[in-house]
Amino acid sequence: MTPGSQPITVPASSSRRRPAHRRRAATSFLAAACLVAVLDRPGLAAAEPAGSRITAQAASPSDGSPGKAARQAQLERLIGQLLSAGAPGVIVRVDDGRGRPIQIAGQTAWSRQDHRLQAEDEFRMGSNTKTMMATLVLQLVGEGRLALTDPVEKWLPGQVPDGGAITLRMLLNHTSGLYDYTQDPVLLPSILGRDARQWTSAQLLAVGVRHDPVFAPGAAWAYSNTDYAAIGAVLEKATGRSLADLVRDRIARPLHLRHTYYPTDSTWRGRHAHGYEPDAAHMPPGVPAEARDYAGTHHDGHVNVSDSNPSWGGAAGAVVSTAQDWSRFYTALMSGRLLPTAQLAQMRTTVPVDPDRPDGPGYGLGIETATTPCGTVWAHDGGIPGYLSTDFTDSAGHRTASVLVSTEAFAETPAAFPGLTKASKALQSATICAMFDKPTPTPPHAD
């Protein structure tokens, strides 16, 4: 499940080199972390598509930064370019810790017949869900009910091959070696919205472990959604409660996140962004044949995939939230409100995602970190059909930012969507810099 000018190199075992249905966006924020935005230079600005609509909450003159209005204007221009490149809709929210946050929503004219996009709309978080699942595990660790050194076998006896050698920490930081269940062809009908079955954590885990592992436990790093299917099953076993109840009672209610929930079916609870993918006739040639035909209502060369059942994402990617709710979640998480000091430190203990770059981007327990041209971010991204979101914060949770693009196939096969990929990376880069209240660096050899 899914989220630069010099994309981060990832070893061949990484999910970033998997087939199109891997649900781990190749345009992740770790790639954008090295990006210097180039689309907002004079002569490169793209006109917004005819009839598109961009609405923004204006920065207040008392917000304390003379450059904030300029950064909002830059974000609006980049959103316009992303719409021109093929995005049906975009939401950006930036809170630099001073004054009113920037909130912008933009959408194409054809998508407005379904929904008028607003910055406050709910959307599917995809793999951002992993940060929330890791938080639940670490809460239980702090209470003495789980230990990161617990072998999977202790909680799920007989369900995971070599489960005695795989610890909960390995599941949380993707060093278990388990095969990613979203690569199994049995999941593809659900991913495409053509199979509405209700998947359980145990069923998703069973799909993943019927394949050979990709390496021995603890020997390397490779992103695998099966890790979090196992985490979901452990949480259910250790507490005797559903993931929906745990998210509600341990995170959403205490933080007053009114639009954050773990869905039990395809039903939305509030106003929500509509997600789209190109229909089969308008998919670029580079998209594999098996991943071209989504289920949903067709119009204007697109398929509305908003009502597909996300249960196949499970603990790896099913949560629904909003940009504002997720900002509040990140602030509570990184400031220590949700976790004791020791458990927050464990979450932020990372392993390199590239063994050749030990000081490069790292993955902790359900959260990633990278040093960007404007500052060090903690973040995650999430891709599920119709929704690609990336969420950022600083180390203290004082600054937060989110970007939603209401389509996701381009992130699975970026080479097939070069314009959309380039525009998305540029917007991510500018959003990170706006979060730090800094201008986006320009390329050293810009013409």
Side-chain angles (χ1 to χ4, degrees):
M1 234 153 310
T2 137
S5 58
Q6 292 184 331
I8 288 172
T9 302
V10 182
S13 61
S14 163
S15 63
R16 285 186 175 85
R17 293 190 180 180
R18 291 174 176 171
H21 58 278
R22 68 193 182 278
R23 317 329 302 173
R24 174 59 177 167
T27 54
S28 73
F29 98 90
L30 292 178
C34 292
L35 177 72
V36 173
V38 298
L39 290 184
D40 200 36
R41 287 160 36 200
L44 289 182
E48 297 168 22
S52 67
R53 179 173 177 262
I54 296 178
T55 59
Q57 175 178 284
S60 167
S62 63
D63 283 350
S65 170
K68 193 166 189 176
R71 283 187 253 296
Q72 175 167 323
Q74 181 195 39
L75 292 172
E76 291 177 15
R77 288 193 296 271
L78 290 170
I79 288 171
Q81 291 169 0
L82 190 49
L83 296 175
S84 294
V90 181
I91 291 173
V92 172
R93 187 181 193 275
V94 179
D95 187 346
D96 64 5
R98 297 192 293 180
R100 182 186 301 166
I102 294 171
Q103 295 192 125
I104 310 169
Q107 68 181 133
T108 54
W110 64 262
S111 68
R112 292 171 66 188
Q113 64 181 280
D114 294 331
H115 174 68
R116 298 296 180 99
L117 187 65
Q118 295 182 5
E120 300 82 7
D121 286 347
E122 295 177 359
F123 53 89
R124 302 200 190 281
M125 299 300 297
S127 284
N128 288 287
T129 299
K130 294 178 173 68
T131 311
M132 205 163 263
M133 294 298 125
T135 300
L136 293 171
V137 169
L138 288 167
Q139 287 178 339
L140 295 174
V141 169
E143 295 165 11
R145 299 172 65 180
L146 293 174
L148 293 177
T149 54
D150 283 349
V152 180
E153 184 69 15
K154 175 179 178 179
W155 295 103
L156 306 176
Q159 295 185 50
V160 178
D162 206 13
I166 298 173
T167 65
L168 299 189
R169 186 191 303 275
M170 291 176 188
L171 296 175
L172 291 167
N173 68 10
H174 296 300
T175 58
S176 72
L178 294 178
Y179 180 93
D180 188 339
Y181 73 80
T182 65
Q183 291 189 90
D184 191 302
V186 74
L187 263 292
L188 193 55
S190 294
I191 292 171
L192 296 176
R194 299 196 167 278
D195 182 350
R197 79 174 73 178
Q198 191 70 23
W199 290 91
T200 67
S201 297
Q203 290 169 339
L204 295 170
L205 175 59
V207 171
V209 300
R210 70 186 184 186
H211 297 270
D212 291 337
V214 296
F215 52 75
W221 182 90
Y223 194 91
S224 173
N225 290 296
T226 304
D227 290 332
Y228 278 76
I231 286 295
V234 169
L235 284 168
E236 292 163 342
K237 181 70 173 294
T239 65
R241 306 188 67 200
S242 70
L243 297 179
D245 287 349
L246 292 172
V247 168
R248 180 193 64 204
D249 295 340
R250 285 180 166 264
I251 297 176
R253 279 184 177 170
L255 298 181
H256 305 289
L257 308 181
R258 294 182 298 168
H259 300 283
T260 298
Y261 52 96
Y262 186 98
T264 56
D265 55 27
S266 61
T267 305
W268 298 85
R269 298 183 186 174
R271 268 189 61 97
H272 59 276
H274 284 227
Y276 301 89
E277 299 299 347
D279 63 26
H282 292 86
M283 275 286 184
V287 177
E290 68 272 14
R292 301 174 65 88
D293 195 9
Y294 289 84
T297 303
H298 290 237
H299 69 85
D300 293 277
H302 288 78
V303 183
N304 188 330
V305 298
S306 309
D307 293 329
S308 294
N309 190 336
S311 71
W312 63 268
V319 162
V320 169
S321 190
T322 67
Q324 182 174 354
D325 270 11
W326 211 257
S327 170
R328 190 174 298 162
F329 167 61
Y330 262 172
T331 295
L333 176 63
M334 302 304 278
S335 66
R337 180 176 173 186
L338 285 173
L339 293 176
T341 301
Q343 278 65 58
L344 183 57
Q346 290 169 328
M347 174 176 269
R348 295 198 285 207
T349 299
T350 64
V351 294
V353 302
D354 181 354
D356 296 328
R357 298 182 61 198
D359 297 325
Y363 199 97
L365 306 186
I367 198 165
E368 308 173 65
T369 189
T371 299
T372 78
C374 290
T376 297
V377 294
W378 291 87
H380 214 290
D381 53 8
I384 195 165
Y387 306 91
L388 178 68
S389 61
T390 314
D391 297 270
F392 312 97
T393 185
D394 63 5
S395 61
H398 184 61
R399 303 169 184 266
T400 62
S402 296
V403 177
L404 167 73
V405 184
S406 62
T407 189
E408 193 259 351
F410 81 95
E412 303 296 342
T413 51
F417 301 84
L420 197 50
T421 299
K422 186 176 183 181
S424 177
K425 290 177 180 178
L427 179 60
Q428 283 192 24
S429 180
T431 299
I432 292 171
C433 290
M435 185 183 79
F436 287 108
D437 196 23
K438 294 180 180 179
T440 306
T442 56
H445 302 294
D447 296 318

